[in-house]
DNA sequence: TGTATCTGTTCTACAAATATGACAGATTTC
DNA sequence: GAAATCTGTCATATTTGTAGAACAGATACA
């Protein structure tokens, strides 16, 4: 009943396939910065597609800012702009702006009260349908969106701050200000695809890869007080951490380096 | 010259769009476990596509095991099988198998020596074109693939272990056994799309979202000794970590909980 | 300067995805 | 048991994606 899987998935056609292949070969160094890609004719031959299809893929790469098309010359690989963006230290939850004169702001997309969705209620330990406050925000870096945040807070706690506070302050800090004792958090990092709605708010194409972070924050009594579902653009945001190999010879193990800057 | 961006991206067609939309609404709880989806006719109307297109999306969801199609009745949402898979503690690098009678094995895909690709050479601090050993492996959980690993090691260090060792033992442990002092590591977590080659080896459809982990391991002298590029299936693998809110009232901050099990 | 190579553009032909409608059979509901 | 609703399947028209080829203009190189 579980034979060889047929390809009945909406894959996205050949041009998307070539797009992904080239994107991968650019980022893994097969075509390094400044290098000239093979000609469209040659690429078409390499991937067994028509030149029209190759051109679509190249146009998409050019739109992404990964290559530059030069009439009569060819397509050159542009430097991946890793110099920009935000890096977050996973061990301290503190985001570090690469350059200090940058600024992040937030934009509130939606704000409402209602019954908790199933997965959220389960993660927070609420009975299904319990009243929660839901807020969706987009964080901007110098005006460009880099993360999409969806938070759920039990309704009785949510009354302690205002809607406009959400545009400026992290939620757990608002809760602390309201008298709640934030004791700890548990979080999971994963990956997901951009749905049309998220793609629009993050200014990317739908189906792009996004970093997914789920965080459940608890107070001193162990009660869940916040559920955060965050989506980050991988080109503008990174999670980083340093580890040290410590312990005696027969019991060596890894341990996080807290607040490191140089790292290991 | 940079007006409103036209949609010249290979998006993947309407059926993929509907597929993504439904996948999102299932996982965010709009359609909870056991619920009946709207009829195909109705879905077609909701998303402004034809019934044929909706059927493609539903077929893909059924193939993924997210829904079950029932002739004459409708499509019901299946429980997301979170009970399976591997969870890795990011603070200790120790993967925890959810059930103890499971077993992970590895399969060697390729093994070769050659010049280091640009990004790898840069990350390892080698001169471009320096000789490295490259190995690609797939890790299996009970016979099913869940991660794709690409490692680069400077050629002079790589001679200390055999090709067959790679099928069983983590690389940094092989290096330790060979006399290298593993002192620390620095790693980044991100997200990427599955290229056709990776998709094949992980038994997923190309364009799927994958967790990406880059790790650079260094010895006591600060010399880079290993570059790991790992790709994980998000449905079978997760990164988890617990954080505690510690410190005095005016200097509260987050700190990782090491080796926690219950977490905060 | 001439030649080879490459992109930009256009055209025709074919393949695949999609829209639309229809009908049989299964399932649920009353 | 009858009616309503739903899926499974088929057929056809339309739209979109792709293949293949040709040619003009731009660029690189000897």
């Amino acid at each position: 009943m579980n034979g060889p899987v047929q390809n009945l998935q909406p894959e996205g056609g050949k041009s998307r396939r070539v797009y992904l292949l080239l994107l991968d070969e650019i980022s893994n160094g097969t075509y390094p910065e400044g290098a000239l890609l093979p000609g469209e004719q040659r690429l078409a031959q390499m991937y067994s597609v028509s030149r029209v299809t190759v051109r679509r893929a190249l146009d998409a790469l050019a739109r992404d800012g990964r290559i530059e098309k030069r009439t009569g010359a060819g397509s050159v690989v542009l430097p991946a702009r890793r110099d920009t963006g935000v890096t977050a230290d996973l061990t301290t939850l503190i985001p570090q702006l690469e350059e200090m004169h940058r600024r992040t702001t937030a934009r509130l997309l939606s704000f409402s009260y209602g019954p908790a969705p199933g997965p959220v209620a389960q993660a927070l330990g609420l009975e299904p349908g319990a009243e929660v406050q839901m807020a969706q925000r987009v964080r901007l870096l110098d005006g460009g969106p880099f993360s999409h945040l969806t938070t759920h807070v039990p309704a009785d706690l949510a009354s302690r701050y205002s809607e406009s506070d959400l545009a400026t302050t992290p939620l757990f800090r608002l809760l602390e200000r309201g008298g709640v004792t934030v004791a700890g958090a548990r979080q999971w990092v994963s990956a997901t695809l951009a749905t049309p709605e998220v793609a629009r708010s993050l200014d990317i194409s739908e189906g792009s890869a996004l970093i997914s972070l789920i965080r459940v924050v608890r107070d001193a009594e162990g009660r869940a007080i916040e559920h955060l579902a965050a989506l980050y653009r991988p080109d503008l945001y990174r999670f980083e951490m340093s580890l040290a190999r410590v312990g005696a010879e027969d019991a060596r193990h890894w341990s996080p380096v807290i607040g490191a800057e140089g790292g290991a």
Side-chain angles (χ1 to χ4, degrees), chain A residues 54-66:
Chain A
V54 168
R55 279 182 123 297
R56 287 207 192 192
L58 291 178
D59 286 344
L61 289 171
R63 176 197 177 278
D64 287 353
R66 307 302 299 258

Side-chain angles (χ1 to χ4, degrees), chain A residues 123-180:
Chain A
L124 291 181
L126 304 173
E127 65 273 21
E131 187 84 352
V132 294
Q133 177 207 76
M134 195 269 283
Q136 288 189 303
R137 290 178 290 168
V138 168
R139 291 203 78 85
L140 312 166
L141 176 66
D142 290 341
F146 73 94
S147 76
H148 181 281
L149 312 174
T150 305
T151 54
H152 293 267
V153 176
D156 55 315
L157 294 175
S159 57
R160 310 191 183 184
Y161 54 88
S162 76
E163 186 173 335
S164 60
D165 288 334
L166 283 171
T168 56
T169 317
L171 223 176
F172 70 85
R173 197 159 294 162
L174 290 177
L175 291 170
E176 277 183 339
R177 216 183 56 188
V180 178

